[in-house]
């Protein structure tokens, strides 16, 4: 579907269009059922600089502030 404007693959659609809302809801359900999302509060990370295991975005941010390490990988 083509929407109006937007950069980086983002598109804007009118919120008053029930057909578009249903399509978006269907897409979200399918992605959720296929686990095609990342729960940034609970995902497991590993610091690629020192190997420390971390859980969630908050721990990764805290680790980065404390150590200066900025490279993380999802486990």
């Amino acid at each position: 579907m083509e929407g109006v404007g937007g950069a980086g693959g983002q598109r804007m659609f009118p919120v008053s269009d029930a057909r578009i809302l249903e399509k978006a809801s269907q897409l979200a359900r399918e992605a959720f059922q296929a686990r095609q999302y990342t729960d940034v509060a609970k995902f497991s990370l590993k610091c690629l600089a020192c190997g420390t295991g971390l859980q969630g975005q908050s721990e990764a941010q805290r680790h980065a502030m404390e150590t200066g390490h900025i490279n993380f990988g999802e486990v």
Side-chain angles (χ1 to χ4, degrees), residues 1-34:
M1 298 182 74
E2 292 295 323
V4 178
Q10 294 180 342
R11 299 288 184 260
M12 293 174 38
F13 297 94
V15 296
S16 59
D17 190 329
R19 183 179 61 87
I20 292 174
L21 178 59
E22 179 53 36
K23 291 281 190 187
S25 294
Q26 180 183 353
L27 179 63
R29 280 191 302 275
E30 290 172 5
F32 180 78
Q33 289 170 349

Side-chain angles (χ1 to χ4, degrees), residues 23-64:
K23 291 281 190 187
S25 294
Q26 180 183 353
L27 179 63
R29 280 191 302 275
E30 290 172 5
F32 180 78
Q33 289 170 349
R35 300 188 54 80
Q36 294 177 341
Y37 64 91
T38 299
D39 182 346
V40 297
K42 297 180 181 177
F43 67 151
S44 296
L45 295 167
K46 180 179 180 179
C47 175
L48 300 178
C50 68
T52 300
L54 305 159
Q55 183 172 7
Q57 180 178 343
S58 296
E59 284 189 17
Q61 289 174 332
R62 187 176 321 111
H63 182 75

